[in-house]
Amino acid sequence: MTAPKGPTGQVNTMRLGHKVIVLSSRFVAAIMLLSCVVRADPTTPFQSGVAQVDADHYRPPLPESLTLDIARQYALDTNPSLAAAAHRIEAATAVYKQARSSYLPTLTASASAIHTHDTPMSQLFVGVEPYDSFTISAGLNWLIFDGFARQGAVLAAREGEAMEENALADGRRLLLRAVSTAFHSALLASENLGIAREDAAFNAGLAAEERARLTAGRGSRSEVLNFDVRVGEAEDQVLVWDQQLEIARTALATLMAAPLARLPEATVLALPTPTGDAAKVPELEAELAHAMALRPDLSRQERAVQQAEALVAVAKGECWPTVMLTAEYGESRRDNPRFDDRADALSSVGVFLAWDFFTGGSRQLAVEEARALVAASERELDAARYQVLGEVRQEYQNLMTAVKRLGKREDIHAKTLETRELVAAEYRAGKQTVTRVNEVQQDVVSASGRLALARIRVIQARENLDAATGRNLEPVGTTP
């Protein structure tokens, strides 16, 4: 019988016994479309760039006084890059468990119901009527030996998991350093903003005094204009440093994954408590030893070498035969599925051995490739060690220089303040010129800015050294 065609001219049939059910292509398409509609999530809205940060309301609130330690912990808790690294660890753990599962047997269950309607004429020794056959079975396959390839794969997967853990630790190390840099940049901008405002107020006061003298007939218009210009220049610097402060605060908020990448206006960065710890220069040899032992990126590279060595074992395993144990039990019956355990049972057990004697040399070349990758990983580890040693030495030298410069800057700043007081008093007494007043004020502004920079540099230099050695991953208060 010819099956009727659907509207598109296509025919979809499904046999059931001696009957044929005809499904039109339009009906099939309708079913498929309905399944797509059911699977769609009607509650998922289109998210714009701002709407994508909808999860921001889950962020913990920021305190009004933000310290560096709080900023660090907030960044560790909310930074999405660290969350992604944590998920990569989960993936690596799953890969490791997958590799271990290769030691277990594979159990398979199957069932079939087959209707045989037509039989080739060449096989019709006797008349064969259409019939049904039913089969159920359960099988076991167990890989007994594969040349230790599985062992190498498990070791490689375990090293891969450790590498991802080290990558997360190194991501924390770099994030903490970036947060520290942004935090101190904001503090420096805030200090310079305060210096610029103080400079404007100082010159505004002198301008007011000179106007009073001009009104009394004892001053000059040029000196009034001179101080007004100084006020304008100081106010210009206020705008510059206010912008720099906002840029630094935005960078810090981005690293912290703060809502909408901004810090609330009420959040003020707290100055660190003055201590002598930052100015203490540790022993260089101790810092080098600590970095070589605990830097997570070095540990990751060492794991990479071990993983490459494990992959050599995997490549060697391909040169050996594989031995597999197999067993199966099932039942098969015609015409009806009422199985008889004695009459319909079938069972088997066996051992299979497979060995590729010749593959054109590809397996040996794979072993050579794996060994070459081991050598490359070892050289990369050497390069990473030299890079870490050089980084620690540079940051150590930066800290030593910053500490020495801070002492000099404190002395210079104290002297400029004293000089300004003397010159200002002499100017009011008519014994100094306005030019000299401008000079000493510029000296004070310059010395104040450089002193603030020197203080921040000492703190940041210590932070950079701790990051270079990996000490910034230690709990607060444990760094020597």
Side-chain angles (χ1 to χ4, degrees), residues 64-70 183-184 187 267-273:
E64 292 187 1
S65 179
L66 182 64
T67 64
L68 178 58
D69 290 338
I70 294 176
F183 189 91
H184 291 136
L187 285 181
T267 299
V268 178
L269 303 187
L271 289 171
T273 303

Side-chain angles (χ1 to χ4, degrees), residues 161-242:
E161 181 184 19
M163 288 171 62
E164 293 300 337
E165 292 173 350
N166 289 327
L168 174 60
D170 197 51
R172 289 190 178 122
R173 179 182 70 88
L174 296 175
L175 175 64
L176 291 174
R177 175 171 180 166
V179 169
S180 175
T181 301
F183 189 91
H184 291 136
S185 296
L187 285 181
L188 178 61
S190 179
E191 287 292 310
N192 282 312
L193 179 61
I195 292 171
R197 287 172 175 166
E198 181 183 347
D199 184 29
F202 178 81
N203 283 288
L206 291 178
E209 292 181 8
E210 192 61 32
R211 283 192 179 89
R213 294 177 61 184
L214 179 61
T215 301
R218 294 183 290 106
S220 66
R221 173 66 176 168
S222 63
E223 292 187 357
V224 172
L225 294 176
N226 169 75
F227 289 122
D228 286 341
V229 169
R230 299 296 177 184
V231 171
E233 290 178 350
E235 291 175 346
D236 178 70
Q237 288 300 304
V238 168
L239 297 176
V240 170
W241 286 111
D242 186 64

Side-chain angles (χ1 to χ4, degrees), residues 396-434:
Y396 182 84
Q397 186 62 43
N398 289 339
L399 176 59
M400 289 184 62
T401 303
V403 170
K404 293 177 182 178
R405 294 188 64 184
L406 175 60
K408 292 185 177 298
R409 283 297 162 193
E410 289 175 339
D411 182 60
I412 292 173
H413 182 256
K415 291 178 178 179
T416 56
L417 289 177
E418 183 180 359
T419 302
R420 185 179 67 176
E421 293 178 1
L422 294 175
V423 172
E426 293 172 354
Y427 174 76
R428 294 186 181 95
K431 297 180 180 180
Q432 284 289 357
T433 64
V434 69

Side-chain angles (χ1 to χ4, degrees), residues 192-363:
N192 282 312
L193 179 61
I195 292 171
R197 287 172 175 166
E198 181 183 347
D199 184 29
F202 178 81
N203 283 288
L206 291 178
E209 292 181 8
E210 192 61 32
R211 283 192 179 89
R213 294 177 61 184
L214 179 61
T215 301
R218 294 183 290 106
S220 66
R221 173 66 176 168
S222 63
E223 292 187 357
V224 172
L225 294 176
N226 169 75
F227 289 122
D228 286 341
V229 169
R230 299 296 177 184
V231 171
E233 290 178 350
E235 291 175 346
D236 178 70
Q237 288 300 304
V238 168
L239 297 176
V240 170
W241 286 111
D242 186 64
Q243 179 191 19
Q244 293 298 317
L245 177 59
E246 288 304 313
I247 292 174
R249 285 171 62 93
T250 300
L252 179 60
T254 302
L255 293 170
M256 295 172 59
L260 299 178
R262 63 183 296 273
L263 296 179
E265 295 294 334
T267 299
V268 178
L269 303 187
L271 289 171
T273 303
T275 62
D277 293 340
K280 292 181 180 179
V281 180
E283 293 293 332
L284 176 59
E285 295 302 323
E287 298 301 293
L288 292 173
H290 189 281
M292 296 302 291
L294 298 178
R295 269 278 290 256
D297 52 340
L298 278 185
S299 299
R300 186 174 190 272
Q301 190 59 43
E302 291 170 355
R303 293 286 190 174
V305 173
Q306 296 174 12
Q307 184 184 56
E309 292 173 346
L311 293 176
V312 173
V314 175
K316 287 182 176 180
E318 298 296 329
C319 302
W320 289 82
T322 58
V323 180
M324 179 176 290
L325 173 66
T326 180
E328 183 179 10
Y329 177 85
E331 296 184 0
S332 179
R333 187 178 183 86
R334 290 179 57 171
D335 297 332
N336 68 77
R338 297 178 179 178
F339 298 105
D340 186 334
D341 292 341
R342 291 176 296 177
D344 301 330
L346 54 91
S347 60
S348 64
V349 63
V351 177
F352 289 89
L353 182 147
W355 195 352
D356 295 330
F357 287 97
F358 180 73
T359 59
S362 61
R363 291 175 299 184

Side-chain angles (χ1 to χ4, degrees), residues 8 14-15 35 37 54 56 62 100 151 156 164 166 222 225 254 262 268 309 369 393 432:
T8 62
M14 180 174 67
R15 291 181 180 273
S35 66
V37 172
D54 181 65
D56 283 337
L62 287 168
R100 291 183 58 186
Q151 181 180 0
E164 293 300 337
N166 289 327
S222 63
L225 294 176
T254 302
R262 63 183 296 273
V268 178
E309 292 173 346
E369 176 189 4
R393 289 184 180 276
Q432 284 289 357

